Amino acid sequence: MIAERATKVKPSPTLAVDSKAKQLKAKGMDVVNFGVGEPDFDTPEHIKEAAIKAIKDGFTKYTPVGGIDELKEAIIEKLEKDNKLTYNKENIVVSCGAKHSLYNIAQALFGPGDEVIIPSPYWVSYPDQVLLNDAIPIIVNTYEEDEFMLRPEVLKEKITSRSKALILNSPSNPTGFIYTENALKEIAEIALKHNLYIISDEIYEKLIYDNEKHISIASLSEEIKEKTIVVNGLSKAYAMTGWRIGYAAGHTEIIKTMTTIQSQSTSNPTSIAQKAAVAALRGNQNCVSEMRKEFEKRRNFLVQELNRIPGVSCKMPKGAFYVFPNISNIFGKKIDKNIINSSMDLSIYLLEKALVALVPGSAFGAEGYIRISYATSMENLSKGIDRISKALEQLI
Ligand SMILES: *Cc1c(COP(=O)(O)O)cnc(C)c1O
């Protein structure tokens, strides 16, 4: 009954943990939710007002499929200013969130037999979006000791005549680490030599700490810019996850194809949300740095506290709002007759016994880790850490 393509994909595991936590909450349990993948802040006021104005002005009809000119121009200004990338309107398509942008790219570029290289730990939707387009995800390991940056020699080993693209995500969800300029240069060189497209998911670029800098791989040379599709959006930087605005920038022909695909599937992103996005991109950016500062404070606290727990070791990530502690030293420990043998075992134990929801590393293709989101209050962080620490003390 169901098409074979659709049987290959699974529901997003991060959303699955989130919904289990919500079920327990609905039963009246006081669950601390470290599973969330969205900022806990409210959308800034001036952005909401722009949307209200759009409604009142009657800006409530279909727009051009790939986004209104005003928003494309605001995106072009942003890419020029922040990333030193120069594009024209033909190089930009606005979609219903960065996830939708990524999906349109997969539809435009991938076909049966194409291999798409995905470094793990990866964001959960990359492999499934590849599978939905009959292509083959090729998962490549990265290592904690390299801050989870893809090693050039490991990348080279995985390249075949069928390799079509490489998906990069910096800052990374789930690890919080970022690629250095040198690492990006080495990857760009390999990509050009083997004619690989690079899909660069830069959705967390505004959430970077310790004066580190975000670098878009597309900005390294004109040649690599031609082969890169930059993906970004408003969800994480402006606390606008529900508004569903993301965008892609790249080669005219790819962008045109993505726009055509969009014209036959979703049509334009919401007119009102597009006006809000213009206000976000062109308005005062203090709201972004205020949220960034708060995230940084939480990160510092969380990493310090996690490293106090026996069996847990946590490197200081440089961006996004996740930490990705190594919990492999806990494997083999017991509670009653149950042995903790995987990150999933640990996550279930912590949810059921400590009422702390978090996502096992295995959901991101990386066993031996858990992902903790700090898109929640300091009070919740300290409550959750306390519970994790007490629950782990019970293991023998
Ligand atoms: C949140 C997220 C996205 C998607 O964000 P949208 O809300 O669809 O714009 C894409 N990539 C990563 C890595 C994310 O964490």
Side-chain angles (χ1 to χ4, degrees), residues 37-270:
E38 61 180 343
D40 53 316
F41 304 109
D42 196 6
T43 304
E45 212 51 43
H46 69 281
I47 300 174
K48 291 186 189 172
E49 291 207 334
I52 292 165
K53 181 170 187 309
I55 294 174
K56 293 210 165 135
D57 290 350
F59 194 75
T60 54
K61 304 290 167 62
Y62 291 135
T63 75
V65 168
I68 52 176
D69 278 355
E70 193 186 5
L71 178 52
K72 285 191 182 177
E73 281 154 13
I75 290 166
I76 290 167
E77 288 159 20
K78 180 251 168 275
L79 290 166
E80 181 80 55
K81 182 162 66 80
D82 294 346
N83 312 105
K84 299 193 196 76
L85 288 168
T86 307
Y87 291 107
N88 298 313
K89 283 197 283 250
E90 308 82 71
N91 302 112
I92 308 289
V93 56
V94 184
S95 300
C96 309
K99 189 184 269 192
H100 186 210
S101 305
L102 288 161
Y103 189 77
N104 283 340
I105 294 169
Q107 285 246 299
L109 284 186
F110 307 154
D114 286 341
E115 296 179 352
V116 180
I117 300 173
I118 303 173
S120 83
Y122 47 74
W123 185 52
V124 293
S125 294
Y126 301 143
D128 290 74
Q129 290 196 348
V130 170
L131 289 169
L132 269 174
N133 289 286
D134 301 311
I136 308 160
I138 303 292
I139 308 298
V140 199
N141 287 333
T142 66
Y143 304 94
E144 189 181 349
E145 66 203 78
D146 303 330
E147 300 191 338
F148 298 104
M149 284 182 282
L150 180 56
R151 286 183 191 167
E153 67 272 20
V154 177
L155 170 61
K156 275 188 213 153
E157 264 168 34
K158 294 282 177 170
I159 294 175
T160 72
S161 58
R162 294 178 159 264
S163 304
K164 182 83 183 249
L166 164 68
I167 305 182
L168 286 182
N169 174 213
S170 177
S172 153
N173 175 5
T175 69
F177 280 99
I178 62 177
Y179 276 80
T180 60
E181 185 164 0
N182 266 343
L184 290 175
K185 276 186 180 151
E186 288 186 289
I187 289 170
E189 197 178 308
I190 298 167
L192 286 174
K193 187 165 162 212
H194 296 275
N195 205 25
L196 285 184
Y197 285 101
I198 292 185
I199 296 157
S200 181
D201 180 349
E202 305 180 11
I203 190 107
Y204 291 99
E205 85 163 303
K206 295 287 177 188
L207 298 175
I208 292 194
Y209 314 112
D210 306 327
N211 302 315
E212 294 275 349
K213 233 176 71 205
H214 170 76
I215 294 157
S216 174
I217 192 166
S219 69
L220 295 179
S221 70
E222 234 1 87
E223 294 73 43
I224 197 67
K225 182 176 168 229
E226 284 288 296
K227 296 294 290 182
T228 302
I229 305 117
V230 175
V231 175
N232 209 325
L234 286 280
S235 286
K236 309 293 164 49
Y238 298 94
M240 288 177 72
T241 44
W243 299 75
R244 311 310 303 131
I245 296 289
Y247 56 87
H251 193 280
T252 317
E253 197 186 334
I254 297 173
I255 296 299
K256 195 170 148 206
T257 307
M258 289 169 65
T259 309
T260 306
I261 290 165
Q262 188 158 298
S263 79
Q264 298 293 14
S265 50
T266 59
S267 292
N268 62 273
T270 307

Side-chain angles (χ1 to χ4, degrees), residues 342-357:
S342 66
S343 54
M344 182 57 96
D345 290 349
L346 184 66
S347 302
I348 291 170
Y349 171 66
L350 290 175
L351 182 55
E352 290 176 348
K353 293 285 152 40
L355 295 178
V356 176

